[in-house]
Amino acid sequence: MTPPDASSKSLSGLILVLLSAVGLAAQNVTSRIFFVPSLIFGQITFGGFISPQLANVVLILAIRMAMMAILLAVVSPWLYPNTFTALRQLPKFPRLLRYVVGSSLCLFIGLTCLYTALSQIATGVAIAIFFIYPAITVLLAWKLFRQRLPRYKLGLMVIILIGVMLTTVTSGSGNTNNLLLGSLSAVGAGLSFGIYGIFAEVCLQNQSSHPALHPVPFSLSTFIGVSGLASLTLPLLPLIEVAPSSWSTLLAMTLFSAALTLFAYILNNFGIRYIGASLTGLISASAPALTALFARVTLQEALQPPQILGIGLVTVGVAALSAKVNGRSPG
């Protein structure tokens, strides 16, 4: 019989990971509000602070990741006391440093694509398409690391692909700006996060060239890297158009989004400690369905029956894949 303390830890882990998934779903909805005016709970029109242009997407990304880096740096002594020691030692391992930079680059491209997708198509549809990334990570691991690829994994990836196709058969009920751009951006986000997963795996596991990097300093370094890349990219893009009256609301919403994401990340890590990465990945796979539900309730986003079926297939496929593959949240 399971000891009470172990049972209590398992229950706590399940609750923490579920709250993490809810937090990420809420964050996805919040990201949509930046670019698209919405009728919140069917009562108040809110959102659309900036136009869905690439420069504005990168601007939001730069501010949000900088805020996340600051927040994580503040709480890191409680999460992992050796965080800054690990960061100072990074230059001693050039290959590890290159992998961290590669992770930051993939995360920058992936988040830029994801924000673009959220600004163009319904939130639930964007996240469902984006969630091809666990399947991409499995394929890349099979190709690069010669990891075994059983038939059931191939079958699950086919299910995920069918689900993604169903989510794009119709644009929904007035929630789409540009279906093609949004869908391609979501696919690009999934591809980028799939490659990010490979870089992260190399960084977070012991290798012959370097020791494993703890998730907290790894995340902090990638947050700083993404913010830096976004800031360096901004001068190369067209002039940013933000109304002066929108800046205060924009910054407040960005801080809220950053805190929500970091909160979900911390809960997810503690959940992994209690119930393991496989079960955590299984619960986290509910993100497409939770996001669609949140978008329906808060933004009044309606989906067509094929899209609902597609989101369901993606959720089931990713959940089944995560049951055998240790998941890792990108942060």
Side-chain angles (χ1 to χ4, degrees), residues 210-245:
H210 62 264
L213 186 61
H214 190 276
V216 173
F218 171 73
S219 296
L220 181 55
S221 60
T222 53
F223 292 166
I224 294 171
V226 172
S227 180
L229 286 168
S231 299
L232 291 173
T233 304
L234 279 174
L236 306 177
L237 299 174
L239 186 65
I240 297 170
E241 299 177 3
V242 180
S245 58

PDB file of all heavy atoms in Angstrom, residues 210-245:
ATOM      1  N   HIS A 210      30.649  18.102 -21.413  1.00  0.00           N
ATOM      2  CA  HIS A 210      30.223  19.031 -20.371  1.00  0.00           C
ATOM      3  C   HIS A 210      29.267  18.343 -19.405  1.00  0.00           C
ATOM      4  O   HIS A 210      28.597  17.366 -19.770  1.00  0.00           O
ATOM      5  CB  HIS A 210      29.544  20.260 -20.990  1.00  0.00           C
ATOM      6  CG  HIS A 210      28.307  19.927 -21.764  1.00  0.00           C
ATOM      7  ND1 HIS A 210      28.297  19.753 -23.133  1.00  0.00           N
ATOM      8  CD2 HIS A 210      27.023  19.709 -21.368  1.00  0.00           C
ATOM      9  CE1 HIS A 210      27.083  19.460 -23.542  1.00  0.00           C
ATOM     10  NE2 HIS A 210      26.287  19.420 -22.482  1.00  0.00           N
ATOM     11  N   PRO A 211      29.170  18.863 -18.172  1.00  0.00           N
ATOM     12  CA  PRO A 211      28.191  18.336 -17.213  1.00  0.00           C
ATOM     13  C   PRO A 211      26.802  18.859 -17.529  1.00  0.00           C
ATOM     14  O   PRO A 211      26.629  19.818 -18.295  1.00  0.00           O
ATOM     15  CB  PRO A 211      28.692  18.879 -15.868  1.00  0.00           C
ATOM     16  CG  PRO A 211      29.378  20.163 -16.234  1.00  0.00           C
ATOM     17  CD  PRO A 211      30.017  19.916 -17.579  1.00  0.00           C
ATOM     18  N   ALA A 212      25.799  18.235 -16.948  1.00  0.00           N
ATOM     19  CA  ALA A 212      24.417  18.679 -17.147  1.00  0.00           C
ATOM     20  C   ALA A 212      24.210  20.055 -16.525  1.00  0.00           C
ATOM     21  O   ALA A 212      24.735  20.350 -15.452  1.00  0.00           O
ATOM     22  CB  ALA A 212      23.454  17.668 -16.538  1.00  0.00           C
ATOM     23  N   LEU A 213      23.451  20.894 -17.221  1.00  0.00           N
ATOM     24  CA  LEU A 213      23.107  22.221 -16.714  1.00  0.00           C
ATOM     25  C   LEU A 213      21.744  22.138 -16.050  1.00  0.00           C
ATOM     26  O   LEU A 213      20.790  21.590 -16.620  1.00  0.00           O
ATOM     27  CB  LEU A 213      23.084  23.230 -17.861  1.00  0.00           C
ATOM     28  CG  LEU A 213      22.875  24.710 -17.517  1.00  0.00           C
ATOM     29  CD1 LEU A 213      23.996  25.228 -16.624  1.00  0.00           C
ATOM     30  CD2 LEU A 213      22.814  25.553 -18.801  1.00  0.00           C
ATOM     31  N   HIS A 214      21.632  22.681 -14.845  1.00  0.00           N
ATOM     32  CA  HIS A 214      20.370  22.649 -14.109  1.00  0.00           C
ATOM     33  C   HIS A 214      19.307  23.462 -14.870  1.00  0.00           C
ATOM     34  O   HIS A 214      19.617  24.473 -15.514  1.00  0.00           O
ATOM     35  CB  HIS A 214      20.571  23.224 -12.708  1.00  0.00           C
ATOM     36  CG  HIS A 214      19.403  23.036 -11.789  1.00  0.00           C
ATOM     37  ND1 HIS A 214      18.323  23.897 -11.784  1.00  0.00           N
ATOM     38  CD2 HIS A 214      19.122  22.073 -10.867  1.00  0.00           C
ATOM     39  CE1 HIS A 214      17.440  23.485 -10.893  1.00  0.00           C
ATOM     40  NE2 HIS A 214      17.896  22.384 -10.322  1.00  0.00           N
ATOM     41  N   PRO A 215      18.022  23.039 -14.808  1.00  0.00           N
ATOM     42  CA  PRO A 215      16.970  23.749 -15.550  1.00  0.00           C
ATOM     43  C   PRO A 215      16.843  25.237 -15.225  1.00  0.00           C
ATOM     44  O   PRO A 215      16.487  26.028 -16.104  1.00  0.00           O
ATOM     45  CB  PRO A 215      15.694  22.995 -15.144  1.00  0.00           C
ATOM     46  CG  PRO A 215      16.154  21.626 -14.803  1.00  0.00           C
ATOM     47  CD  PRO A 215      17.509  21.798 -14.181  1.00  0.00           C
ATOM     48  N   VAL A 216      17.117  25.636 -13.976  1.00  0.00           N
ATOM     49  CA  VAL A 216      16.944  27.052 -13.619  1.00  0.00           C
ATOM     50  C   VAL A 216      17.974  27.943 -14.318  1.00  0.00           C
ATOM     51  O   VAL A 216      17.600  28.902 -15.001  1.00  0.00           O
ATOM     52  CB  VAL A 216      16.966  27.249 -12.089  1.00  0.00           C
ATOM     53  CG1 VAL A 216      16.957  28.744 -11.748  1.00  0.00           C
ATOM     54  CG2 VAL A 216      15.765  26.564 -11.450  1.00  0.00           C
ATOM     55  N   PRO A 217      19.295  27.689 -14.189  1.00  0.00           N
ATOM     56  CA  PRO A 217      20.249  28.527 -14.942  1.00  0.00           C
ATOM     57  C   PRO A 217      20.096  28.388 -16.446  1.00  0.00           C
ATOM     58  O   PRO A 217      20.326  29.348 -17.188  1.00  0.00           O
ATOM     59  CB  PRO A 217      21.622  28.026 -14.474  1.00  0.00           C
ATOM     60  CG  PRO A 217      21.385  26.710 -13.828  1.00  0.00           C
ATOM     61  CD  PRO A 217      20.003  26.762 -13.279  1.00  0.00           C
ATOM     62  N   PHE A 218      19.683  27.197 -16.903  1.00  0.00           N
ATOM     63  CA  PHE A 218      19.445  27.031 -18.345  1.00  0.00           C
ATOM     64  C   PHE A 218      18.321  27.950 -18.806  1.00  0.00           C
ATOM     65  O   PHE A 218      18.455  28.661 -19.805  1.00  0.00           O
ATOM     66  CB  PHE A 218      19.092  25.574 -18.655  1.00  0.00           C
ATOM     67  CG  PHE A 218      18.629  25.357 -20.076  1.00  0.00           C
ATOM     68  CD1 PHE A 218      19.527  25.397 -21.123  1.00  0.00           C
ATOM     69  CD2 PHE A 218      17.284  25.130 -20.357  1.00  0.00           C
ATOM     70  CE1 PHE A 218      19.103  25.214 -22.441  1.00  0.00           C
ATOM     71  CE2 PHE A 218      16.847  24.933 -21.657  1.00  0.00           C
ATOM     72  CZ  PHE A 218      17.764  24.978 -22.701  1.00  0.00           C
ATOM     73  N   SER A 219      17.214  27.957 -18.075  1.00  0.00           N
ATOM     74  CA  SER A 219      16.088  28.813 -18.440  1.00  0.00           C
ATOM     75  C   SER A 219      16.450  30.290 -18.346  1.00  0.00           C
ATOM     76  O   SER A 219      16.095  31.084 -19.223  1.00  0.00           O
ATOM     77  CB  SER A 219      14.884  28.511 -17.541  1.00  0.00           C
ATOM     78  OG  SER A 219      14.425  27.200 -17.740  1.00  0.00           O
ATOM     79  N   LEU A 220      17.161  30.662 -17.290  1.00  0.00           N
ATOM     80  CA  LEU A 220      17.548  32.061 -17.122  1.00  0.00           C
ATOM     81  C   LEU A 220      18.436  32.510 -18.280  1.00  0.00           C
ATOM     82  O   LEU A 220      18.254  33.613 -18.819  1.00  0.00           O
ATOM     83  CB  LEU A 220      18.269  32.253 -15.788  1.00  0.00           C
ATOM     84  CG  LEU A 220      18.721  33.671 -15.455  1.00  0.00           C
ATOM     85  CD1 LEU A 220      17.555  34.651 -15.506  1.00  0.00           C
ATOM     86  CD2 LEU A 220      19.378  33.716 -14.066  1.00  0.00           C
ATOM     87  N   SER A 221      19.380  31.664 -18.680  1.00  0.00           N
ATOM     88  CA  SER A 221      20.276  32.035 -19.782  1.00  0.00           C
ATOM     89  C   SER A 221      19.513  32.145 -21.097  1.00  0.00           C
ATOM     90  O   SER A 221      19.787  33.046 -21.907  1.00  0.00           O
ATOM     91  CB  SER A 221      21.413  31.016 -19.909  1.00  0.00           C
ATOM     92  OG  SER A 221      20.907  29.716 -20.168  1.00  0.00           O
ATOM     93  N   THR A 222      18.527  31.262 -21.316  1.00  0.00           N
ATOM     94  CA  THR A 222      17.758  31.353 -22.563  1.00  0.00           C
ATOM     95  C   THR A 222      16.820  32.559 -22.552  1.00  0.00           C
ATOM     96  O   THR A 222      16.634  33.212 -23.588  1.00  0.00           O
ATOM     97  CB  THR A 222      16.949  30.063 -22.811  1.00  0.00           C
ATOM     98  OG1 THR A 222      16.164  29.752 -21.659  1.00  0.00           O
ATOM     99  CG2 THR A 222      17.862  28.899 -23.124  1.00  0.00           C
ATOM    100  N   PHE A 223      16.254  32.885 -21.395  1.00  0.00           N
ATOM    101  CA  PHE A 223      15.413  34.087 -21.309  1.00  0.00           C
ATOM    102  C   PHE A 223      16.229  35.333 -21.663  1.00  0.00           C
ATOM    103  O   PHE A 223      15.780  36.188 -22.434  1.00  0.00           O
ATOM    104  CB  PHE A 223      14.838  34.248 -19.904  1.00  0.00           C
ATOM    105  CG  PHE A 223      13.831  33.190 -19.508  1.00  0.00           C
ATOM    106  CD1 PHE A 223      13.446  33.048 -18.186  1.00  0.00           C
ATOM    107  CD2 PHE A 223      13.282  32.341 -20.448  1.00  0.00           C
ATOM    108  CE1 PHE A 223      12.530  32.074 -17.810  1.00  0.00           C
ATOM    109  CE2 PHE A 223      12.364  31.364 -20.091  1.00  0.00           C
ATOM    110  CZ  PHE A 223      11.989  31.235 -18.759  1.00  0.00           C
ATOM    111  N   ILE A 224      17.429  35.422 -21.082  1.00  0.00           N
ATOM    112  CA  ILE A 224      18.304  36.565 -21.373  1.00  0.00           C
ATOM    113  C   ILE A 224      18.690  36.573 -22.846  1.00  0.00           C
ATOM    114  O   ILE A 224      18.695  37.621 -23.504  1.00  0.00           O
ATOM    115  CB  ILE A 224      19.565  36.503 -20.485  1.00  0.00           C
ATOM    116  CG1 ILE A 224      19.187  36.688 -19.010  1.00  0.00           C
ATOM    117  CG2 ILE A 224      20.575  37.578 -20.900  1.00  0.00           C
ATOM    118  CD1 ILE A 224      20.333  36.439 -18.045  1.00  0.00           C
ATOM    119  N   GLY A 225      18.991  35.379 -23.384  1.00  0.00           N
ATOM    120  CA  GLY A 225      19.381  35.280 -24.793  1.00  0.00           C
ATOM    121  C   GLY A 225      18.274  35.713 -25.736  1.00  0.00           C
ATOM    122  O   GLY A 225      18.511  36.452 -26.692  1.00  0.00           O
ATOM    123  N   VAL A 226      17.047  35.272 -25.469  1.00  0.00           N
ATOM    124  CA  VAL A 226      15.917  35.637 -26.331  1.00  0.00           C
ATOM    125  C   VAL A 226      15.647  37.139 -26.268  1.00  0.00           C
ATOM    126  O   VAL A 226      15.413  37.784 -27.294  1.00  0.00           O
ATOM    127  CB  VAL A 226      14.651  34.852 -25.927  1.00  0.00           C
ATOM    128  CG1 VAL A 226      13.436  35.368 -26.687  1.00  0.00           C
ATOM    129  CG2 VAL A 226      14.835  33.369 -26.203  1.00  0.00           C
ATOM    130  N   SER A 227      15.692  37.692 -25.053  1.00  0.00           N
ATOM    131  CA  SER A 227      15.482  39.129 -24.917  1.00  0.00           C
ATOM    132  C   SER A 227      16.553  39.912 -25.670  1.00  0.00           C
ATOM    133  O   SER A 227      16.258  40.909 -26.342  1.00  0.00           O
ATOM    134  CB  SER A 227      15.494  39.520 -23.428  1.00  0.00           C
ATOM    135  OG  SER A 227      15.292  40.906 -23.279  1.00  0.00           O
ATOM    136  N   GLY A 228      17.807  39.442 -25.579  1.00  0.00           N
ATOM    137  CA  GLY A 228      18.895  40.101 -26.294  1.00  0.00           C
ATOM    138  C   GLY A 228      18.733  40.010 -27.800  1.00  0.00           C
ATOM    139  O   GLY A 228      18.912  41.007 -28.520  1.00  0.00           O
ATOM    140  N   LEU A 229      18.375  38.824 -28.294  1.00  0.00           N
ATOM    141  CA  LEU A 229      18.177  38.649 -29.738  1.00  0.00           C
ATOM    142  C   LEU A 229      17.029  39.519 -30.247  1.00  0.00           C
ATOM    143  O   LEU A 229      17.127  40.126 -31.315  1.00  0.00           O
ATOM    144  CB  LEU A 229      17.893  37.178 -30.043  1.00  0.00           C
ATOM    145  CG  LEU A 229      19.087  36.223 -29.966  1.00  0.00           C
ATOM    146  CD1 LEU A 229      18.607  34.774 -30.009  1.00  0.00           C
ATOM    147  CD2 LEU A 229      20.064  36.500 -31.100  1.00  0.00           C
ATOM    148  N   ALA A 230      15.948  39.576 -29.484  1.00  0.00           N
ATOM    149  CA  ALA A 230      14.806  40.404 -29.885  1.00  0.00           C
ATOM    150  C   ALA A 230      15.188  41.883 -29.907  1.00  0.00           C
ATOM    151  O   ALA A 230      14.807  42.614 -30.828  1.00  0.00           O
ATOM    152  CB  ALA A 230      13.639  40.169 -28.928  1.00  0.00           C
ATOM    153  N   SER A 231      15.948  42.318 -28.910  1.00  0.00           N
ATOM    154  CA  SER A 231      16.362  43.727 -28.840  1.00  0.00           C
ATOM    155  C   SER A 231      17.285  44.083 -30.001  1.00  0.00           C
ATOM    156  O   SER A 231      17.199  45.189 -30.555  1.00  0.00           O
ATOM    157  CB  SER A 231      17.070  43.994 -27.511  1.00  0.00           C
ATOM    158  OG  SER A 231      16.201  43.742 -26.418  1.00  0.00           O
ATOM    159  N   LEU A 232      18.168  43.157 -30.385  1.00  0.00           N
ATOM    160  CA  LEU A 232      19.082  43.402 -31.501  1.00  0.00           C
ATOM    161  C   LEU A 232      18.345  43.389 -32.846  1.00  0.00           C
ATOM    162  O   LEU A 232      18.781  44.033 -33.805  1.00  0.00           O
ATOM    163  CB  LEU A 232      20.185  42.345 -31.518  1.00  0.00           C
ATOM    164  CG  LEU A 232      21.208  42.414 -30.370  1.00  0.00           C
ATOM    165  CD1 LEU A 232      22.150  41.213 -30.417  1.00  0.00           C
ATOM    166  CD2 LEU A 232      22.004  43.710 -30.436  1.00  0.00           C
ATOM    167  N   THR A 233      17.231  42.667 -32.905  1.00  0.00           N
ATOM    168  CA  THR A 233      16.461  42.561 -34.151  1.00  0.00           C
ATOM    169  C   THR A 233      15.589  43.793 -34.385  1.00  0.00           C
ATOM    170  O   THR A 233      15.346  44.186 -35.540  1.00  0.00           O
ATOM    171  CB  THR A 233      15.571  41.304 -34.122  1.00  0.00           C
ATOM    172  OG1 THR A 233      16.393  40.156 -33.886  1.00  0.00           O
ATOM    173  CG2 THR A 233      14.822  41.118 -35.428  1.00  0.00           C
ATOM    174  N   LEU A 234      15.131  44.425 -33.306  1.00  0.00           N
ATOM    175  CA  LEU A 234      14.197  45.547 -33.431  1.00  0.00           C
ATOM    176  C   LEU A 234      14.679  46.668 -34.359  1.00  0.00           C
ATOM    177  O   LEU A 234      13.893  47.165 -35.180  1.00  0.00           O
ATOM    178  CB  LEU A 234      13.875  46.115 -32.044  1.00  0.00           C
ATOM    179  CG  LEU A 234      12.822  45.345 -31.240  1.00  0.00           C
ATOM    180  CD1 LEU A 234      12.698  45.919 -29.838  1.00  0.00           C
ATOM    181  CD2 LEU A 234      11.468  45.382 -31.955  1.00  0.00           C
ATOM    182  N   PRO A 235      15.963  47.113 -34.266  1.00  0.00           N
ATOM    183  CA  PRO A 235      16.400  48.206 -35.158  1.00  0.00           C
ATOM    184  C   PRO A 235      16.371  47.831 -36.639  1.00  0.00           C
ATOM    185  O   PRO A 235      16.382  48.721 -37.496  1.00  0.00           O
ATOM    186  CB  PRO A 235      17.849  48.468 -34.697  1.00  0.00           C
ATOM    187  CG  PRO A 235      17.911  47.942 -33.303  1.00  0.00           C
ATOM    188  CD  PRO A 235      17.006  46.772 -33.293  1.00  0.00           C
ATOM    189  N   LEU A 236      16.334  46.525 -36.945  1.00  0.00           N
ATOM    190  CA  LEU A 236      16.326  46.087 -38.340  1.00  0.00           C
ATOM    191  C   LEU A 236      14.925  46.036 -38.930  1.00  0.00           C
ATOM    192  O   LEU A 236      14.762  45.844 -40.136  1.00  0.00           O
ATOM    193  CB  LEU A 236      16.962  44.688 -38.444  1.00  0.00           C
ATOM    194  CG  LEU A 236      18.369  44.530 -37.844  1.00  0.00           C
ATOM    195  CD1 LEU A 236      18.827  43.080 -37.959  1.00  0.00           C
ATOM    196  CD2 LEU A 236      19.352  45.465 -38.537  1.00  0.00           C
ATOM    197  N   LEU A 237      13.914  46.210 -38.083  1.00  0.00           N
ATOM    198  CA  LEU A 237      12.519  46.103 -38.514  1.00  0.00           C
ATOM    199  C   LEU A 237      11.906  47.490 -38.723  1.00  0.00           C
ATOM    200  O   LEU A 237      12.459  48.490 -38.244  1.00  0.00           O
ATOM    201  CB  LEU A 237      11.718  45.321 -37.467  1.00  0.00           C
ATOM    202  CG  LEU A 237      12.185  43.880 -37.228  1.00  0.00           C
ATOM    203  CD1 LEU A 237      11.413  43.254 -36.070  1.00  0.00           C
ATOM    204  CD2 LEU A 237      12.024  43.048 -38.499  1.00  0.00           C
ATOM    205  N   PRO A 238      10.767  47.558 -39.427  1.00  0.00           N
ATOM    206  CA  PRO A 238      10.094  48.857 -39.625  1.00  0.00           C
ATOM    207  C   PRO A 238       9.746  49.514 -38.296  1.00  0.00           C
ATOM    208  O   PRO A 238       9.699  48.864 -37.252  1.00  0.00           O
ATOM    209  CB  PRO A 238       8.823  48.469 -40.399  1.00  0.00           C
ATOM    210  CG  PRO A 238       9.162  47.179 -41.062  1.00  0.00           C
ATOM    211  CD  PRO A 238      10.089  46.457 -40.124  1.00  0.00           C
ATOM    212  N   LEU A 239       9.483  50.798 -38.370  1.00  0.00           N
ATOM    213  CA  LEU A 239       9.183  51.587 -37.184  1.00  0.00           C
ATOM    214  C   LEU A 239       8.004  51.002 -36.422  1.00  0.00           C
ATOM    215  O   LEU A 239       6.988  50.637 -36.998  1.00  0.00           O
ATOM    216  CB  LEU A 239       8.875  53.038 -37.568  1.00  0.00           C
ATOM    217  CG  LEU A 239       8.686  54.040 -36.422  1.00  0.00           C
ATOM    218  CD1 LEU A 239       9.978  54.203 -35.651  1.00  0.00           C
ATOM    219  CD2 LEU A 239       8.216  55.383 -36.975  1.00  0.00           C
ATOM    220  N   ILE A 240       8.159  50.903 -35.107  1.00  0.00           N
ATOM    221  CA  ILE A 240       7.107  50.355 -34.250  1.00  0.00           C
ATOM    222  C   ILE A 240       6.005  51.393 -34.063  1.00  0.00           C
ATOM    223  O   ILE A 240       6.277  52.563 -33.807  1.00  0.00           O
ATOM    224  CB  ILE A 240       7.689  49.940 -32.883  1.00  0.00           C
ATOM    225  CG1 ILE A 240       8.707  48.830 -33.073  1.00  0.00           C
ATOM    226  CG2 ILE A 240       6.598  49.510 -31.921  1.00  0.00           C
ATOM    227  CD1 ILE A 240       9.507  48.519 -31.837  1.00  0.00           C
ATOM    228  N   GLU A 241       4.760  50.930 -34.191  1.00  0.00           N
ATOM    229  CA  GLU A 241       3.621  51.826 -34.048  1.00  0.00           C
ATOM    230  C   GLU A 241       2.826  51.460 -32.799  1.00  0.00           C
ATOM    231  O   GLU A 241       2.053  50.507 -32.801  1.00  0.00           O
ATOM    232  CB  GLU A 241       2.727  51.743 -35.296  1.00  0.00           C
ATOM    233  CG  GLU A 241       3.431  52.155 -36.593  1.00  0.00           C
ATOM    234  CD  GLU A 241       2.538  51.999 -37.808  1.00  0.00           C
ATOM    235  OE1 GLU A 241       1.362  51.631 -37.605  1.00  0.00           O
ATOM    236  OE2 GLU A 241       3.009  52.244 -38.924  1.00  0.00           O
ATOM    237  N   VAL A 242       3.049  52.212 -31.730  1.00  0.00           N
ATOM    238  CA  VAL A 242       2.309  52.014 -30.484  1.00  0.00           C
ATOM    239  C   VAL A 242       1.802  53.368 -30.016  1.00  0.00           C
ATOM    240  O   VAL A 242       2.579  54.318 -29.860  1.00  0.00           O
ATOM    241  CB  VAL A 242       3.191  51.386 -29.385  1.00  0.00           C
ATOM    242  CG1 VAL A 242       2.383  51.187 -28.104  1.00  0.00           C
ATOM    243  CG2 VAL A 242       3.771  50.059 -29.854  1.00  0.00           C
ATOM    244  N   ALA A 243       0.505  53.476 -29.820  1.00  0.00           N
ATOM    245  CA  ALA A 243      -0.068  54.738 -29.346  1.00  0.00           C
ATOM    246  C   ALA A 243       0.455  55.051 -27.950  1.00  0.00           C
ATOM    247  O   ALA A 243       0.538  54.148 -27.106  1.00  0.00           O
ATOM    248  CB  ALA A 243      -1.585  54.636 -29.324  1.00  0.00           C
ATOM    249  N   PRO A 244       0.849  56.303 -27.681  1.00  0.00           N
ATOM    250  CA  PRO A 244       1.369  56.665 -26.357  1.00  0.00           C
ATOM    251  C   PRO A 244       0.440  56.273 -25.222  1.00  0.00           C
ATOM    252  O   PRO A 244       0.884  55.859 -24.152  1.00  0.00           O
ATOM    253  CB  PRO A 244       1.528  58.183 -26.456  1.00  0.00           C
ATOM    254  CG  PRO A 244       1.713  58.458 -27.922  1.00  0.00           C
ATOM    255  CD  PRO A 244       0.868  57.443 -28.623  1.00  0.00           C
ATOM    256  N   SER A 245      -0.858  56.356 -25.458  1.00  0.00           N
ATOM    257  CA  SER A 245      -1.821  56.029 -24.405  1.00  0.00           C
ATOM    258  C   SER A 245      -1.868  54.528 -24.105  1.00  0.00           C
ATOM    259  O   SER A 245      -2.425  54.114 -23.077  1.00  0.00           O
ATOM    260  CB  SER A 245      -3.218  56.506 -24.808  1.00  0.00           C
ATOM    261  OG  SER A 245      -3.614  55.920 -26.039  1.00  0.00           O
TER     262      SER A 245
END
